Amino acid sequence: MNDSDDSTAATRDDAGPQHLKAEGRHAETAPAPHRSKPRGLIREAAVVLASALVLSILIKTFLVQAFFIPSGSMEDTLAVGDRVLVSKLAPGPLDVHRGDIVVFVDPGGWLGDEAPDTRSAFQKGLEEALTFIGLLPHNAGEHLIKRVIGVGGDTVECCSDDGRVMVNGEPIDEPYLRPGVDPSAQEFVAEVPEGHVWLMGDNRSNSQDSRAHPGSPGGGAVPLSNVVGTAFVVLWPVESWGLLRNPGDTFEDVPEP
């Protein structure tokens, strides 16, 4: 082989690896297949939304739920249009006590005739769906809200010589009553059955409560099974925000039945 052949061979040998290296560099820097980012983002958003909805439903079902106040029976403690948050731990893991404010299902005949619903089917369906998942407060519907004055075994009556409500013979001072409202304009004596509560509004002159249903089962008392939970905070409007505390001092001298 002459010198020119060696040179040509060397050139081929040199060109081969260089050509391969160039192809290798081209392979290494080639962009990865394009992935659909919008589709991935939509999938992630759907997972987050579904998780949030499930969590909201679980919280509303087992822990807390918002309710809308439709009437003035609890003024001035609660006003028409207030939104309250209700704990579902009582009754249940926790007990219902005298002085608690409770939301309960109408045991029968407390609400009377309801005004006709003029909403469209779409409006009703949308509101029911948002309420179910906990994004809207529960409108009153079949629910009411009152204060517990007596529990199972108690005797609640009115009035004492100075016009106060008595529980187990002990007159009670009620600081939550609407100013200028009497503890009760009607006299009554009621023995609260076990598993029931005796309920009265803070605005006694505008409250169809246990006093107004002496002929119903329980003599006006409401079964604990009808109690949804205890209201513990006003969520809305902002100027009314605050905790709903149990006035323990009111009932501290009441003897056990």
Side-chain angles (χ1 to χ4, degrees):
M1 183 179 294
N2 55 31
D3 292 341
S4 61
D5 291 338
D6 292 341
S7 175
T8 302
T11 302
R12 290 197 197 101
D13 291 342
D14 291 342
Q18 289 173 0
H19 179 67
L20 292 176
K21 288 178 182 177
E23 290 182 345
R25 286 197 299 269
H26 178 73
E28 290 173 1
T29 58
H34 179 68
R35 295 181 180 178
S36 177
K37 289 185 178 180
R39 185 178 300 176
L41 291 174
I42 292 173
R43 187 186 307 114
E44 291 178 8
V47 171
V48 171
L49 179 60
S51 301
L53 291 178
V54 170
L55 182 61
S56 178
I57 292 171
L58 290 175
I59 290 174
K60 187 208 73 166
T61 302
F62 298 106
L63 295 178
V64 294
Q65 184 175 0
F67 281 84
F68 173 86
I69 305 302
S71 73
S73 67
M74 286 295 293
E75 292 176 340
D76 289 336
T77 305
L78 297 171
V80 176
D82 283 354
R83 273 71 166 171
V84 298
L85 202 58
V86 172
S87 168
K88 293 193 169 184
L89 297 178
L94 303 177
D95 293 328
V96 173
H97 300 95
R98 305 182 192 102
D100 286 343
I101 297 174
V102 298
V103 169
F104 61 100
V105 177
D106 182 1
W110 283 45
L111 288 170
D113 296 331
E114 297 184 10
D117 193 341
T118 59
R119 296 174 300 165
S120 67
F122 174 78
Q123 288 175 319
K124 289 188 287 187
L126 180 61
E127 183 172 323
E128 288 172 1
L130 294 177
T131 301
F132 174 74
I133 62 179
L135 297 181
L136 278 183
H138 200 296
N139 212 332
E142 61 179 2
H143 295 82
L144 301 97
I145 186 166
K146 307 289 182 189
R147 190 181 296 274
V148 178
I149 303 300
V151 296
D154 284 345
T155 298
V156 184
E157 58 186 305
C158 193
C159 297
S160 64
D161 293 339
D162 56 0
R164 291 182 289 172
V165 169
M166 295 186 292
V167 181
N168 299 334
E170 179 68 27
I172 59 174
D173 293 317
E174 301 182 272
Y176 41 77
L177 290 180
R178 186 175 189 182
V181 170
D182 293 331
S184 181
Q186 64 188 87
E187 296 184 355
F188 66 90
V189 178
E191 294 184 4
V192 185
E194 292 295 336
H196 290 65
V197 285
W198 183 266
L199 304 172
M200 300 174 73
D202 290 356
N203 185 7
R204 299 283 163 81
S205 62
N206 187 31
S207 177
Q208 295 293 311
D209 47 41
S210 290
R211 299 168 297 164
H213 304 279
S216 63
V222 174
L224 279 173
S225 58
N226 283 50
V227 175
V228 175
T230 57
F232 66 96
V233 67
V234 179
L235 289 175
W236 188 264
V238 174
E239 58 269 20
S240 299
W241 188 92
L243 296 176
L244 297 171
R245 301 183 183 278
N246 181 305
D249 293 347
T250 295
F251 301 93
E252 65 179 356
D253 294 329
V254 172
E256 292 303 312

